Amino acid sequence: MKKLLIILDLFNIYFLTLILIQGSVLVFYDYNSFKAINKFSLAKKSRYLGFTMMLIAILLFIVRKILL
């Protein structure tokens, strides 16, 4: 349990902000650039990965706030 709390302590507001910025780049910029060069499969994966990263980061941040 102590190791879980140490890991959750890493998910502070700065880490959340970093992940949200990185996810936004994947969702918007990379998606459009892959789509422009006709890599539609890669564009979909980029958007899916960006949304998934942001969702997981938000969930872990909420869990951190609840437990700590």
Side-chain angles (χ1 to χ4, degrees):
M1 183 70 177
K2 185 171 177 139
K3 288 183 182 182
L4 177 65
L5 292 177
I6 291 172
I7 292 171
L8 283 177
D9 195 34
L10 295 174
F11 290 92
N12 55 14
I13 191 71
Y14 302 110
F15 186 76
L16 178 65
T17 305
L18 177 69
I19 294 296
L20 291 178
I21 291 170
Q22 184 178 5
S24 298
V25 167
L26 275 171
V27 169
F28 297 111
Y29 179 75
D30 286 345
Y31 175 78
N32 290 332
S33 64
F34 289 141
K35 199 166 112 179
I37 59 172
N38 295 327
K39 302 265 185 179
F40 297 109
S41 173
L42 197 55
K44 284 183 193 177
K45 290 176 186 176
S46 171
R47 182 167 272 182
Y48 177 75
L49 182 65
F51 281 130
T52 304
M53 278 179 26
M54 289 190 290
L55 180 67
I56 290 172
I58 291 169
L59 289 174
L60 286 171
F61 183 74
I62 291 170
V63 168
R64 178 190 180 267
K65 286 289 187 182
I66 292 171
L67 292 179
L68 296 178

